[in-house]
Amino acid sequence: SSGINAEWPLRPGFDLAAGETFSAAYLYNNHGLASDVTRLAQDFDDSAEIEDYFFLNLTSFQVLTAVFLKNFSGVPHTCVNISSKCAVVAFPSMSLYCTGKAARLMLYKCLAAENPEVKVLNYSPGLMLTTMTENFHNTVAVDSTKKTFQAFKEGNLYVDTDESAKKMLGIVKEGSFTSGEQIDFHDC
């Protein structure tokens, strides 16, 4: 079973690839949404809200990975999770976001342990100036986290998106990373 129902939005992309021959397959998995950073962990008491958040940011992430591996069988695979420092460091007021990133990191570590033939990279691209980080500047509830974002903005410390993407592609192309490990932009 492909695991995809007819209504799944990404199905047409997999259908286009059906019957094609590939020498390798690459998945760069960066989908999802940021969480509500105006509240603290103890403020999230609506199970439906939490389920919706983790469905988009974890469940669909897992399904996409599984469907990718099944639909491109017989060729070398590389799966890249666009991770974050938030996967390994707790930032106050970002509990759902950090939890989702940590879960995705561990999911890909398990994927690597279970499938030694699949190259798995967790890449942390560095803090970049995006709509999401701009939103965090204005709405994050905890002053220490807000000051972190403000210091990056005021010090012009954000990582250039193109530079980070080129570095990630170089890491993947070189292929010398340990499958499942997290590599941070600043560490390479």
Side-chain angles (χ1 to χ4, degrees), residues 100-139:
K101 287 294 188 178
R104 288 163 66 140
L105 172 65
M106 185 53 67
L107 179 65
Y108 266 34
K109 284 180 173 282
C110 290
L111 178 68
E114 295 167 354
N115 300 280
E117 73 283 1
V118 177
K119 291 293 282 181
V120 180
L121 174 64
N122 290 291
Y123 178 71
S124 179
L127 190 57
M128 296 183 253
L129 188 57
T130 63
T131 303
M132 180 182 76
T133 54
E134 283 285 352
N135 183 51
F136 288 170
H137 285 251
N138 301 320
T139 62

Side-chain angles (χ1 to χ4, degrees), residues 8-28:
W8 193 52
L10 297 179
R11 183 179 182 120
F14 285 100
D15 289 345
L16 284 173
E20 296 293 326
T21 303
F22 300 93
S23 60
Y26 297 85
L27 174 64
Y28 294 89

